[in-house]
Amino acid sequence: MLSAVSDRPARSRGWLQPAWSLLLAILVLAPTVPAGFVLLRDMVFTPRQPFTPAAFGLGSALPRAVPIDAVMAALTSVLPGMLLQKVALLATLVLAGLGAARLVPTQHGLTRCAAASIYVWNAYVAERLLLGHWSLLIGYATLPWLLRAALSMRAGGWRAAPKVVLLLGVCALTAGGAVLSALVAVPVLAWPGSAAPRRNRSAVGLAAILLNAPWWLPGLLASGASASGAAGVDAFAARAELPIGTLGSLVGLGGVWNAQAVPGSRALFPATIVAVLLPVMAVYGWRRLRAEWGPASSGGAVAAGLGLLLAWTGSVPVLAAGLRWAVTHVPGAGLLRDGQRLVAPLALLLAVAAPLGFERLADRLADPAARSAALVVPVLLPLLVLPDLAWGALGQLQPVAYPDDWQRVRATLAASPPGPGSGDVVALPWQAFRQFGWNAGRTMLDPAPRYLDRTTVVDDVLVVGTEAVVGEDRRAAAVGTALATGRPVPTTLPGLGIGWVLVEKGTPGDFAPGLLAGATLVYSGADLVLYRLGDGTGDGRGVGAGVVADGPWTAGKWASRAVLLADLLAVLLMVGCTVRVLGFPGASAATVEAT
């Protein structure tokens, strides 16, 4: 009964959910269609992203954008980065809506469209878009499809196992997405009553560990503790953006730590009403969901509840103290700092159960017109309550063009191939975020590390309000210490493996006037200036000595080879599961058992 209901669209309106999901995505992303790149906070795309050691987690910082940066480097080597960004954003929202719609166990087309509206048009999606967390939203969009495959696997569908593994791999493009997938998949697959053999579930668990190795293995092997600063717990804690407090804001799928990423409509009373209404309707619709999903529904509820609890932890003094200890001493616990992102399983549960509540209410109405109106309400309500997500968050998502200087500097560096005597690049002013005039002053990450074909060191200290959250890149810390001395960089940075300094104009920040004394001017334009310092080899006895000599690995070359081997095995596993899911000739049941 489970697979028969949850896997088929409404008989007469199978086109309705894809069309509605596409319309929702267009309403949000229409302004991003013209030529250019949308550059907002953490969302930085470039024409062609380079392969650098950091893209594989082999840099000096913790691997927070691994392996998504390596995937982007591979994709932009064959597709323009501008096109890739537009396709990625559109596909993410369309697949999120369509996945939620097809997950609802009903034959009412409007009920499924309501699920798409609730899952796509909410504060979580709006705030993550405005933070630039597009890669996290890929994992968010994958969750409905992952849950659907997990339900099929629970029902005894052996063909679902490679699909579950494949979807876990998509979520594993980022560590944040991997956490979301674990929150959803583990309770659902492990909950009692599953018809899936234990060996299949164990195999899926082992496959998930391997698929996530590209980011957890380099983090584990990196020299120094792979833990984060305790100050980040308070800085990234969820906050109250509704009158019903922090917990109520989280239940309303908001509460993000950055107030600048909160849509203005969240301060209006209707947002609070809907934050209360949707959980009430989800409870009312729970009977129907449980009738279709069986014991798996309890696993879904546990996933939503656990995510909500973890999201709330940083805002509760007693729990926050334990989280501060964990992120300081436990490798990987830093993933829990930005807890608000963990309400994604709750968003999925509300998107599936609340429409069933409205449907159950509609079925109690005798008048056909009243029944139709009751089903239309949850389809349109999210759009009416959060109107400022429309049209690129009211113009905040706008494409711009990189100035020509960026390509010229890239070409200049390419003319001096990397190697002994070349050195890496440091970007000034020394701060993590930029506000260029050519990007209408929007806050954005420094694009240099993803634009230049050379390892580029940037400041990774994040200022949240008045709180400075210490970064996790010890080489960047050493460079920052050298710059703070005010001594000319040709005397301090070559010992840290730095051979170039890139000065980015038109953005806040300055540096000591004599800092560049003795550096050789190589390129000067309206937006960028490039200096060469020297041979970039140094003797390692300057500020931060040992960072270059030792490298980021305590175990030496074998650790780097282990990471690359893990990457290769993860790719092969993804390819094998893709072959099996698509049903290519030669893929047999033995392939699934091996997986």
Side-chain angles (χ1 to χ4, degrees):
M1 184 176 183
L2 171 66
S3 60
V5 174
S6 62
D7 287 350
R8 68 187 181 197
R11 293 173 183 172
S12 61
R13 297 178 180 176
W15 56 270
L16 186 58
Q17 297 88 49
W20 181 244
S21 299
L22 177 60
L23 179 59
L24 290 174
I26 291 175
L27 288 175
V28 176
L29 299 174
T32 69
V33 172
F37 296 86
V38 177
L39 306 173
L40 182 64
R41 295 189 175 90
D42 289 1
M43 180 157 36
V44 174
F45 282 73
T46 60
R48 185 178 67 80
Q49 189 163 326
F51 286 104
T52 61
F56 298 93
L58 302 178
S60 54
L62 290 182
R64 292 198 173 273
V66 176
I68 186 66
D69 274 352
V71 172
M72 289 300 299
L75 291 176
T76 55
S77 65
V78 295
L79 293 173
M82 183 189 305
L83 174 63
L84 191 60
Q85 182 185 36
K86 299 179 191 308
V87 171
L89 292 176
L90 183 67
T92 295
L93 295 191
V94 171
L95 291 175
L98 186 57
R102 292 192 171 178
L103 188 60
V104 183
T106 182
Q107 292 301 304
H108 285 287
L110 287 177
T111 302
R112 291 181 176 235
C113 287
S117 295
I118 294 171
Y119 198 60
V120 170
W121 208 284
N122 59 53
Y124 186 96
V125 172
E127 292 171 357
R128 292 298 156 177
L129 272 177
L130 293 177
L131 283 175
H133 292 177
W134 66 276
S135 55
L136 178 68
L137 289 177
I138 291 177
Y140 177 84
T142 306
L143 292 184
W145 303 93
L146 174 62
L147 179 54
R148 192 170 169 214
L151 292 173
S152 179
M153 184 175 169
R154 277 185 60 93
W158 62 270
R159 292 179 181 273
K163 186 178 293 186
V164 170
V165 173
L166 182 61
L167 293 169
L168 288 171
V170 174
C171 292
L173 288 173
T174 64
V179 173
L180 295 184
S181 68
L183 274 175
V184 169
V186 172
V188 171
L189 289 176
W191 199 261
S194 173
R198 181 176 297 178
R199 68 182 185 198
N200 285 8
R201 286 179 287 168
S202 299
V204 167
L206 292 175
I209 293 173
L210 175 58
L211 289 171
N212 285 279
W215 63 264
W216 65 255
L217 184 58
L220 187 64
L221 296 177
S223 62
S226 54
S228 306
V233 172
D234 296 325
F236 295 120
R239 50 187 297 278
E241 61 190 36
L242 298 178
I244 50 180
T246 300
L247 183 59
S249 299
L250 290 170
V251 172
L253 307 182
V256 76
W257 55 272
N258 191 331
Q260 296 179 350
V262 178
S265 61
R266 292 288 288 173
L268 303 179
F269 188 62
T272 302
I273 294 296
V274 171
V276 175
L277 177 63
L278 287 184
V280 170
M281 296 309 297
V283 171
Y284 190 58
W286 183 256
R287 178 186 298 178
R288 293 193 175 182
L289 186 65
R290 183 168 180 80
E292 296 293 341
W293 285 8
S297 60
S298 298
V302 168
L306 180 59
L308 178 62
L309 176 61
L310 291 174
W312 193 40
T313 296
S315 305
V316 181
V318 175
L319 298 178
L323 183 57
R324 280 191 290 270
W325 178 89
V327 300
T328 304
H329 298 93
V330 180
L335 293 172
L336 302 178
R337 292 190 312 180
D338 183 2
Q340 188 269 347
R341 62 184 173 183
L342 302 181
V343 300
L346 175 62
L348 183 56
L349 186 65
L350 292 177
V352 175
L356 291 176
F358 281 98
E359 181 182 284
R360 185 182 174 191
L361 179 64
D363 289 345
R364 298 173 64 91
L365 303 175
D367 183 14
R371 286 200 300 269
S372 298
L375 292 176
V376 169
V377 167
V379 176
L380 299 180
L381 188 61
L383 284 71
L384 297 175
V385 173
L386 192 65
D388 37 0
L389 176 56
W391 203 252
L394 298 185
Q396 296 190 65
L397 303 176
Q398 291 285 347
V400 298
Y402 280 99
D404 292 340
D405 278 0
W406 284 90
Q407 184 57 38
R408 290 169 182 163
V409 166
R410 177 174 179 154
T412 300
L413 289 170
S416 176
S422 175
D424 296 330
V425 181
V426 158
L428 296 178
W430 187 246
Q431 56 190 56
F433 284 88
R434 304 302 194 211
Q435 293 176 322
F436 295 113
W438 52 264
N439 192 28
R442 299 183 186 92
T443 300
M444 60 178 288
L445 273 179
D446 192 330
R450 290 178 171 87
Y451 203 110
L452 305 179
D453 282 317
R454 189 70 59 91
T455 294
T456 304
V457 183
V458 297
D459 187 11
D460 67 339
V461 175
L462 180 62
V463 178
V464 180
T466 59
E467 183 77 36
V469 181
V470 178
E472 299 162 331
D473 185 339
R474 69 193 191 101
R475 188 185 187 194
V479 169
T481 300
L483 295 173
T485 66
R487 294 162 50 196
V489 288
T491 66
T492 58
L493 296 188
L496 297 174
I498 304 299
W500 306 82
V501 172
L502 177 69
V503 178
E504 302 172 15
K505 298 181 179 180
T507 183
D510 51 23
F511 46 87
L515 199 64
L516 296 171
T520 303
L521 179 64
V522 176
Y523 176 84
S524 180
D527 296 282
L528 298 176
V529 181
L530 182 66
Y531 294 87
R532 185 160 191 166
L533 302 185
D535 63 12
T537 55
D539 60 8
R541 290 178 292 188
V543 178
V547 175
V548 177
D550 296 340
W553 304 104
T554 56
K557 291 183 179 179
W558 71 265
S560 300
R561 291 170 181 168
V563 169
L564 296 178
L565 177 60
D567 294 344
L568 177 61
L569 293 176
V571 170
L572 291 176
L573 180 57
M574 288 289 286
V575 170
C577 289
T578 302
V579 168
R580 183 57 201 161
V581 168
L582 296 180
F584 290 144
S588 64
T591 305
V592 179
E593 293 298 328
T595 303

